[in-house]
Structures are given as C-alpha cells and as structure tokens.
Amino acid sequence: MTSRRLRALLLSLVALTVLYSAACTGGGDRRGRDVGGAGSHGPSTGGAGPSYADGLGSASASPSASSSAAPGWWKPAVGMTWQWQLTGTLDKSVTAEVYDVDGANTSAADVAALKSAGRHVICYVNVGAHEDFRADAKNFPESVRGKGLDGWPGEKWLDIRRWDVLEPLLAARFKTCKDKGFDAVEPDNVDGYRNGSGFPLTADDQLTFNRRVADLAHRTGLGVGLKNDVEQAAALAPAFDFAVNEECARYDECDTLKVFTNAGKPVFHVEYDGSAGSFCAKTKALRFSSMKKKLDLDAWRESC
C-alpha cells in the first residue's frame, strides 16, 4: 500500500471515530415551599450541618458524568412500596421496595446493604437551591445565588437559567449518587419560578431546567423523579420516570398527577396531616404509593 493510500485510510478512520463519538455524546421539593399557593409544601433537613466525608459535593465540579451516554436506567413500577427518610439514623429494616434517602448522609455501604436486601434506592439531591452547608457550596458563584428560601436558613434559590454554570456542578452530584450505587435521583426545589427567587424566572424557564435535569440524570445512568411542581406535571411527565409528591390530598392536587400512573410511572406520595384513612382510599384508587409521614421525615411511616 502506498503512503498516500495509507494516509487516506488513516484520515478516514479518524473521521469515523469522531462521528461515532458525536453520536454517542449526550448534548420538588423534599420540602417544596410555595409562596404563591399550592404545589410545594413540606419539611427540611437543610442547615443541619452533617458530616460529608463521602457525601455529595465531594466530587469536583467536572462535567464528566455527562460526557458519554449511559446505556439505561432504573424505571420503577406503579404500586411499588416506598420509604422516605431524610433525618435520623437510617432504618434499613423497613419493609419497602424503594428507599428515598439523603444522598450526602447515606454511605455507599448503606446503599449496598439496602440493594442486597432487594431494595431500590433513590438519592435526594437539591438542584434548585444553594445550601451553604454542602461540601461543594463554594463552587456555586454568587451570581447564581438569589433570595433566601423562607424558613430555611442557609439556602438560596438558584438562577436556573444559568445551565452553563449549574450543569457541571449538578453532574458532579449525580455522579456521586451513581458511584455510591443509587438507582435514581430525587431532584429538589424544581419550582423556583413560583417563588420569590430573586430572578425573573418564567414557567418556560422552569420547564427547560427540569427537562435538562432529567436528561442529565439519564445520561448519568440514573432514573429521575419530578418533585412536586404539580402545575407542570402533564408537560414534564414524559421526561421523568416517577413523581414524588407532598400533600396532594391536602391541596386537592392528586388528580393532576394521574398523568404519571396513566403512563405506567409511579407516584410516591406522602401526607403529613390527618389520618391515613383520610386520604388512602382516594390515592389507592389513583394507584399512588402513599403513606403518612412526620414532617421531619424520620424513619416513622404509616403506609396505605
């Protein structure tokens, strides 16, 4: 083979490699607070100042988690039982098929223990607000930090329009979840447009951000749930694998979330007030995975 033909062959191989790489590259609230009305309600673990020795935020702000497409992710089924615990010592003995736990405070060993017992595990991550007690707090520039969240010291809304800034930071957090063995993420505070964030956020801004978060989770190989943001559930359900909701019965919003169960995607739902009997009949009819919890989301639960 002549050197000219060899050089042409090598150039063709390089071009094919580049094209293949391009084709494979990917382009709520745990306590929603809603100053404008229903749709975000609930508890907080924020400001507790726990140790994050191996927690979220310990990874660098590298976009490596989004540099290549993941082959697939976990998709939970309608009717799966669940446990949601964000405070206190993790109780791994609860009889539930799905655990939703804080990504920073839950170790890889805890995740492995739950999964060895046949459970799936969801990683709680705050994506819409800055928390000054997180290990990576300093990586969020002041320019993307807005007004404080009412009732949650140390937390400020983020400018979700700045995906150029937020993507690598959230990618690092999601990668930590993936590396610990989590199956999915529960992204919190995805309704800043309905709150006094300090930024002129619109409903379209929120839709764009929430879809980007879902896509980022999927590219990391993780399932992803829509946290509250009930008003946009119909538009967002195709992008998410499940929903996590607080108090839809109290605020008469549960029917809006039928778009998930109708699509074969579960709604993991909690109420804080009243008896379980006051909402279980309705949410069972909607095929929700419902339970009553205490506001601080410790291990206690009363399942429907």
Side-chain angles (χ1 to χ4, degrees):
M1 182 180 295
T2 67
S3 59
R4 179 176 297 176
R5 288 181 179 177
L6 178 60
R7 186 161 51 249
L9 177 61
L10 290 174
L11 288 173
S12 297
L13 288 173
V14 169
L16 286 172
T17 301
V18 171
L19 288 172
Y20 179 80
S21 298
C24 295
T25 301
D29 266 343
R30 106 177 101 101
R31 61 299 154 89
R33 306 58 56 160
D34 177 303
V35 293
S40 293
H41 328 277
S44 173
T45 59
S51 170
Y52 295 98
D54 67 342
L56 291 175
S58 59
S60 65
S62 166
S64 58
S66 61
S67 62
S68 61
W73 55 86
W74 174 61
K75 301 175 182 68
V78 172
M80 296 185 81
T81 57
W82 78 304
Q83 162 68 328
W84 195 17
Q85 183 180 351
L86 298 182
T87 66
T89 301
L90 180 62
D91 182 355
K92 296 188 286 290
S93 68
V94 175
T95 303
E97 297 169 287
V98 178
Y99 270 63
D100 187 339
V101 295
D102 186 86
N105 295 337
T106 306
S107 68
D110 284 333
V111 176
L114 288 170
K115 295 183 75 170
S116 68
R119 279 72 176 258
H120 290 280
V121 194
I122 299 171
C123 184
Y124 168 84
V125 184
N126 198 335
V127 301
H130 176 264
E131 300 163 310
D132 64 9
F133 53 87
R134 295 292 184 183
D136 63 347
K138 66 181 182 302
N139 295 335
F140 291 77
E142 288 287 346
S143 62
V144 300
R145 305 181 198 178
K147 290 185 177 179
L149 280 68
D150 290 342
W152 310 106
E155 300 190 39
K156 293 181 178 180
W157 291 103
L158 290 170
D159 186 351
I160 59 172
R161 300 168 300 175
R162 295 298 310 278
W163 189 244
D164 59 322
V165 174
L166 297 180
E167 180 184 17
L169 298 169
L170 299 182
R173 289 182 171 186
F174 286 5
K175 183 178 184 300
T176 300
C177 292
K178 181 67 174 177
D179 290 347
K180 283 186 174 184
F182 283 96
D183 298 297
V185 289
E186 177 213 329
D188 195 14
N189 293 316
V190 293
D191 57 357
Y193 81 106
R194 300 189 71 244
N195 291 268
S197 67
F199 304 108
L201 304 179
T202 67
D204 284 343
D205 291 331
Q206 196 70 62
L207 287 171
T208 297
F209 177 75
N210 291 359
R211 287 170 177 145
R212 283 170 167 170
V213 167
D215 178 65
L216 178 60
H218 288 158
R219 285 188 279 124
T220 312
L222 295 163
V224 60
L226 177 66
K227 179 67 169 290
N228 294 329
D229 196 16
V230 178
E231 294 76 15
Q232 297 185 325
L236 291 170
F240 287 81
D241 305 299
F242 57 93
V244 177
N245 176 264
E246 296 165 298
E247 302 189 284
C248 72
R250 178 183 178 187
Y251 293 95
D252 195 23
E253 299 169 338
C254 295
D255 285 341
T256 308
L257 293 168
K258 287 191 299 184
V259 293
F260 277 90
T261 50
N262 287 346
K265 301 176 180 183
V267 174
F268 298 121
H269 160 247
V270 299
E271 294 288 329
Y272 301 115
D273 296 324
S275 66
S278 67
F279 63 86
C280 283
K282 177 176 177 59
T283 59
K284 275 187 174 181
L286 295 171
R287 298 187 296 152
F288 290 4
S289 300
S290 296
M291 60 182 172
K292 181 177 179 181
K293 293 285 293 183
K294 296 176 182 177
L295 195 60
D296 64 356
L297 292 176
D298 61 8
W300 183 88
R301 72 196 277 272
E302 183 180 352
S303 181
C304 287

